[in-house]
Amino acid sequence: MPKLSVVVPFYNVQTYAPDVLKGLALNAREDFEFLLVDDRSTDGTPELLERAAAGGLPGAVHLRRDRNGGLAAARNTGLDAARGEYIAFLDGDDWPAPGHLARTLAAIEALNCDFVRTDHVQVTGRERIVQRVPYGPQGVVGDPRAGILPTARATAVDYPYAWAGMYHRRLLDQGLLHFTDGLRTAEDRPWIWRLHRTARSFAAIGEAGIFYRRGISTSLTQIGDERQLDFIRAFDQVLADTATDRESELLLPKAVRTYCAIIAHHIGTTERLEPAVAKKLRVMSAEALGRMPRPLLEQALDSMDADRSALLRRLRRRTPATAATAATGATAAPGAAA
């Protein structure tokens, strides 16, 4: 059994893949495996991965999907093939600092917890900014549920990046590390909520060793098509899952407020979307607000700044169907549960 399996999905990133592969080479150990998952790229990415697996990168395994399925599906392909005692993720346009994986592995083994969360470096052009895990205690094992609240402040569940951490295999065996298949964006939101609600122990550590590229044309965050709207399905799942939790009354206000904040963010950036997608976003967002429990929605809107609150209140009044749905008090769309 390898000590560590690193799942790395790739899709049309031939410009950035060499940096990723070089970074992995500077992290390679004989007990590490690198699962390079090609999500049916149409550029030169598959050839780069094939060369890496043929000997260019120690421990590399090239996995090619039969069809393009998005990041969640590609990660699941890697997880299905993972043999390691520990699991880590990386995206195909980011890269790790030399020795980052070994240092993170040493930390999680010393702490003996289910998973650790790490800081990272956000890269925008030549700018480098360290982004911290929004959780106070460092290097101290705690209850993952402590990383969910308080409601009105950024917490560990608002830091959903799967690659910013490392995970014990028992989480994989328990079914906690797979992503909701079919989600093209925000796939990490129900994933991180489930992890914090269900795992037994975690810790935040410093180790800002992943360099995360922002603002590149191949990133889904820069694409204005319907894939952006999958955040609605992702947060519907967060609400549906949280509604079944033993502490749902405590946790649902946080889930609702976060959903509202994400809707406001997307509505505020519609200029980057295709016109038809922007229109669909407004309709789907109004419907989503209508599905939220009315008292929790009012509580969330009252707690937000005036601009976002007013925007969401106008959006909620968008259609008569929205008001009718709101009266039901439903927490999520039918079929939204995991």
Side-chain angles (χ1 to χ4, degrees), residues 2 4-8 21 24-25 27-36 49 51-63 81 83:
L4 176 67
S5 297
V6 185
V7 176
V8 194
L21 298 173
L24 292 175
N27 278 268
R29 280 184 6 185
E30 62 180 12
D31 56 349
F32 287 4
E33 67 174 2
F34 303 120
L35 303 168
L36 313 178
L49 303 185
R51 287 200 295 271
L57 173 61
V61 179
H62 182 198
L63 304 171
R83 298 178 297 131

Side-chain angles (χ1 to χ4, degrees), residues 154-165:
T155 64
V157 291
D158 302 312
Y159 186 83
Y161 316 108
W163 38 260

Side-chain angles (χ1 to χ4, degrees), residues 6 12 50 86-87 101 104-105 114 127 147 154 170 173 206 242 249 269 271 274 316 322:
V6 185
N12 287 352
E50 193 59 40
Y86 292 90
I87 309 293
L101 295 174
T104 306
L105 176 62
D114 283 347
E127 185 180 52
R170 56 180 167 262
D173 294 338
T242 306
E249 291 186 5
T269 58
E271 71 280 354
E274 299 167 1
R316 187 183 58 179
T322 300

Side-chain angles (χ1 to χ4, degrees), residues 97-112:
H100 167 72
L101 295 174
R103 291 190 295 272
T104 306
L105 176 62
I108 191 172
E109 288 192 303
L111 292 166
N112 191 29

Side-chain angles (χ1 to χ4, degrees), residues 194-261:
R194 183 179 65 225
L195 205 57
H196 275 276
R197 288 192 306 101
T198 311
R200 293 177 299 178
S201 59
F202 93 118
I205 61 176
E207 192 47 49
I210 298 293
F211 291 81
Y212 168 46
R213 295 186 199 267
R214 292 292 305 273
I216 61 175
S217 60
T218 55
S219 173
L220 188 56
T221 59
Q222 302 300 306
I223 297 171
D225 63 24
E226 283 204 24
R227 287 174 290 180
Q228 290 288 347
L229 305 184
D230 274 5
F231 84 90
I232 297 281
R233 289 201 298 129
F235 272 97
D236 277 351
Q237 183 180 340
V238 170
L239 290 195
D241 290 350
T242 306
T244 67
D245 190 88
R246 68 179 188 272
E247 295 183 304
S248 60
E249 291 186 5
L250 183 66
L251 302 181
L252 268 175
K254 170 70 173 180
V256 169
R257 191 183 192 281
T258 303
Y259 198 172
C260 288

